Amino acid sequence: MTDTSTKGTDQVGSTTQPALVPLYVDLDHTLVRTDIAQEMLIRACRQPNTLWSAARAHLAQGPAALKARLAQEVEIAVEHLPYNQAVLEHIKQARVSGRRVVLATAADHDVADRVAEHLGLFDHVLASCADHNMKSQAKLAAIEADLRAHGNTEGFEYLGDSRADLPIWQTASLRGFAAVPQGADHWQAEATLWPTQGARSLRDYLPSLKRAMRPHQWAKNVLLFVPLLFAHLYSDAASVALALLGFVAFSLCASSIYLINDLLDVEADRAHATKRSRPFAAGDLPPAFGVGAALALLVCSLTLAACLSGPFLAVMLAYVALTNAYSLWLKQFSTIDVVILALLYTVRIIAGAAAIAVLPSPWLLTFSLFFFLSLAYMKRYIELSRLVAKLQGDSDPLTDRLPVRNYYAGDLTIVQIFGIANGALSLLTLAEYVSSEMVQKHYLTPGFLWLMLPVMMFWTYRAWMWANRDQIGDDPVAFALRDRISHIAVLVLLLIVALARYVDLGLQDLSMRALG
């Protein structure tokens, strides 16, 4: 053990550091607040060939070969990784003191070298290669060999986070912690770096998990109640209870999909101005924990769906298949991606109909498809307009594109045209529905329903006007859920439907006499 009271030291926290003692720093969950290999493995799910070759490498040669294959096949933007600022400051202080700083990690050497080159804070890198997994005792051996190669006899400091690091801390002269595993807390008094929150348990992850589940987005699943409204079963307690159970099942399923989407999109999120603060992008939730939580939510939702009815379960399974196809593959293709987004909202209406065992109106489904296709194009329009504005007129319409999306700067106008056109088609569908024979049969005064058209015209074109002014935010549906004018519009629409359903002004008889 090195005497921490040696002269010529720098103060860090409540302990001193000998100026000649080298510092060895771990990468995953220490220098960065995530596990890079886990992220790359999850993202490899978009590339079946890469996933299969990585799995074969792991079976044949072990985890080091798996990490090497992932490093070769899956890109990682090291400049956007969630770096631990406390660790970076600790490293910078060590360098100011003239100490040698080494990145010592079980991550693949290609990844470690890129991180070290980006930061410019390390004198050397010790990392895994295809036939050698540098973890625990293997990492300790590499550190000791590096010490001998540089003739160091003053000991060393190690900064890590996991139980695998216990043998290294046991040998180290000085110990720093980005996280505190079980069995290491007795070193707290002499630690050179100690996490402000201490060891993290499952309970500590719950706030970030709740945020990643996006419960505020469950409001989108109110669409499941639309068939209940138009089937006029809102006074039937059994139907209302079934719709509520369907809402809960769909909300849990949607949250599991949000977790999966965020895990797959973590690279794009980190490059985004606002999405970089999402739990996985910011490193607040470990990737493996996110996968486990997503599977648990999915199992719960499908179990509840199976208890509800067979048709509802079938719709849920179709929704899961469609969302996974979108997340893994289809979101990379222009036009297909917005059609899928519109279908995902329409599937919610179909699910609501399946929950209460009624057939959804073809008018309703057609209106939903056009309306939500317009909003999907609006979402892409907002993203493209921000890209063009960011490039300040220097954008190349043939090369500058959205991350992960097949939309280029030159597509801005055509995306806007498609979006407004589909909004107009949804209004036309609504007009055709109001004048249909179906409406004449189910409403006492169907003429009231024509008042829905100017309300929907106002909302649709106002939304597009605001999108053009970049006042919508990232998601038009989320905007509608928090916008006061949208809330008023929905209440007015419900009032119009109630008037048409329950108020009899004798207009039908008057109309028949006029036609006669």
Side-chain angles (χ1 to χ4, degrees):
M1 298 290 288
T2 300
D3 183 1
T4 57
S5 63
T6 302
K7 294 181 180 180
T9 63
D10 291 323
Q11 188 73 18
V12 178
S14 60
T15 62
T16 55
Q17 296 183 10
L20 297 180
V21 172
L23 171 62
Y24 293 84
V25 182
D26 186 30
L27 178 59
D28 294 322
H29 296 297
T30 300
L31 180 61
V32 297
R33 303 178 65 223
T34 187
D35 188 300
I36 297 177
Q38 289 180 10
E39 285 192 5
M40 296 171 74
L41 182 61
I42 292 169
R43 289 173 51 218
C45 293
R46 281 206 181 101
Q47 308 169 29
N49 291 336
T50 298
L51 189 62
W52 174 239
S53 64
R56 285 189 301 173
H58 182 270
L59 291 174
Q61 298 174 274
L66 168 68
K67 289 183 282 189
R69 185 58 58 89
L70 290 174
Q72 294 171 6
E73 302 290 340
V74 181
E75 286 293 325
I76 184 79
V78 296
E79 66 274 14
H80 293 143
L81 287 172
Y83 291 98
N84 189 325
Q85 294 303 315
V87 172
L88 287 177
E89 288 301 318
H90 192 66
I91 293 171
K92 291 174 182 177
Q93 290 183 33
R95 290 188 64 85
V96 168
S97 302
R99 300 168 61 197
R100 186 166 177 269
V101 183
V102 178
L103 180 61
T105 174
D108 185 75
H109 68 92
D110 283 344
V111 173
D113 287 343
R114 291 185 57 198
V115 169
E117 181 180 0
H118 168 68
L119 292 176
L121 295 175
F122 296 97
D123 299 294
H124 187 51
V125 175
L126 300 175
S128 298
C129 56
D131 58 355
H132 180 66
N133 190 31
M134 206 184 74
K135 186 174 182 179
S136 194
Q137 293 288 354
K139 185 188 290 188
L140 175 59
I143 290 173
E144 290 175 335
D146 184 69
L147 289 169
R148 289 193 298 270
H150 289 83
N152 189 287
T153 59
E154 299 292 326
F156 68 95
E157 178 185 357
Y158 181 74
L159 182 54
D161 70 285
S162 72
R163 286 185 58 83
D165 295 325
L166 289 176
I168 308 173
W169 278 316
Q170 185 68 41
T171 306
S173 305
L174 297 167
R175 306 171 184 89
F177 300 89
V180 187
Q182 185 179 4
D185 52 354
H186 62 285
W187 285 313
Q188 177 176 5
E190 61 180 56
T192 59
L193 182 69
W194 193 262
T196 56
Q197 295 182 339
R200 301 196 70 185
S201 63
L202 174 61
R203 180 177 298 179
D204 297 316
Y205 288 127
L206 292 182
S208 295
L209 176 62
K210 179 182 177 182
R211 190 157 58 93
M213 288 172 60
R214 303 183 210 174
H216 62 281
Q217 298 280 17
W218 292 355
K220 295 178 180 179
N221 298 326
V222 170
L223 288 171
L224 272 79
F225 295 100
V226 172
L228 183 78
L229 175 66
F230 284 95
H232 308 292
L233 294 173
Y234 34 79
S235 59
D236 180 62
S239 296
V240 172
L242 290 173
L244 285 171
L245 287 175
F247 174 84
V248 173
F250 225 87
S251 296
L252 294 177
C253 181
S255 286
S256 72
I257 299 300
Y258 288 140
L259 294 179
I260 293 171
N261 282 344
D262 285 356
L263 285 165
L264 292 171
D265 287 347
V266 68
E267 282 279 286
D269 286 350
R270 284 177 183 149
H272 194 274
T274 58
K275 294 179 181 179
R276 67 180 62 174
S277 63
R278 287 179 174 177
F280 294 111
D284 295 330
L285 284 177
F289 180 87
V291 172
L295 291 177
L297 288 170
L298 184 60
V299 169
C300 288
S301 65
L302 292 179
T303 301
L304 185 56
C307 294
L308 196 59
S309 72
F312 184 81
L313 175 62
V315 176
M316 282 271 290
L317 290 172
Y319 175 80
V320 172
L322 199 58
T323 51
N324 284 326
Y326 173 80
S327 299
L328 294 171
W329 183 43
L330 297 177
K331 69 190 307 177
Q332 304 173 63
F333 300 95
S334 61
T335 307
I336 293 177
D337 66 326
V338 290
V339 172
I340 296 299
L341 286 176
L343 283 174
L344 290 175
Y345 284 104
T346 305
V347 165
R348 287 174 165 90
I349 296 175
I350 298 173
I356 60 175
V358 299
L359 288 175
S361 163
W363 292 107
L364 181 60
L365 297 182
T366 305
F367 170 82
S368 172
L369 189 60
F370 283 133
F371 180 74
F372 287 109
L373 187 56
S374 176
L375 296 189
Y377 270 119
M378 186 184 296
K379 183 179 177 70
R380 294 293 175 261
Y381 171 78
I382 291 169
E383 294 171 342
L384 277 172
S385 61
R386 289 176 179 174
L387 172 66
V388 172
K390 182 180 179 181
L391 297 172
Q392 298 179 342
D394 296 328
S395 61
D396 186 336
L398 299 178
T399 58
D400 293 321
R401 54 177 286 182
L402 295 175
V404 190
R405 318 285 185 188
N406 192 30
Y407 289 90
Y408 292 83
D411 297 332
L412 180 65
T413 301
I414 195 69
V415 166
Q416 184 183 39
I417 291 172
F418 286 162
I420 296 174
N422 277 282
L425 286 173
S426 71
L427 296 172
L428 179 61
T429 303
L430 179 60
E432 293 289 338
Y433 167 72
V434 168
S435 60
S436 68
E437 291 184 4
M438 181 184 300
V439 167
Q440 307 300 320
K441 294 178 181 178
H442 293 288
Y443 293 89
L444 290 176
T445 310
F448 274 125
L449 295 179
W450 282 101
L451 296 175
M452 297 174 67
L453 281 169
V455 176
M456 287 303 302
M457 286 177 181
F458 161 73
W459 190 92
T460 301
Y461 296 130
R462 170 182 177 264
W464 270 102
M465 188 71 73
W466 279 40
N468 189 60
R469 300 171 184 172
D470 197 16
Q471 296 179 346
I472 292 290
D474 295 328
D475 186 351
V477 177
F479 161 79
L481 294 175
R482 66 175 183 269
D483 175 50
R484 183 174 59 88
I485 299 299
S486 299
H487 300 165
I488 295 173
V490 170
L491 291 176
V492 171
L493 291 172
L494 291 175
L495 177 61
I496 291 170
V497 172
L499 290 173
R501 173 70 175 172
Y502 295 110
V503 177
D504 186 4
L505 297 180
L507 295 180
Q508 279 188 306
D509 293 338
L510 181 63
S511 175
M512 293 299 294
R513 286 197 297 271
L515 289 174

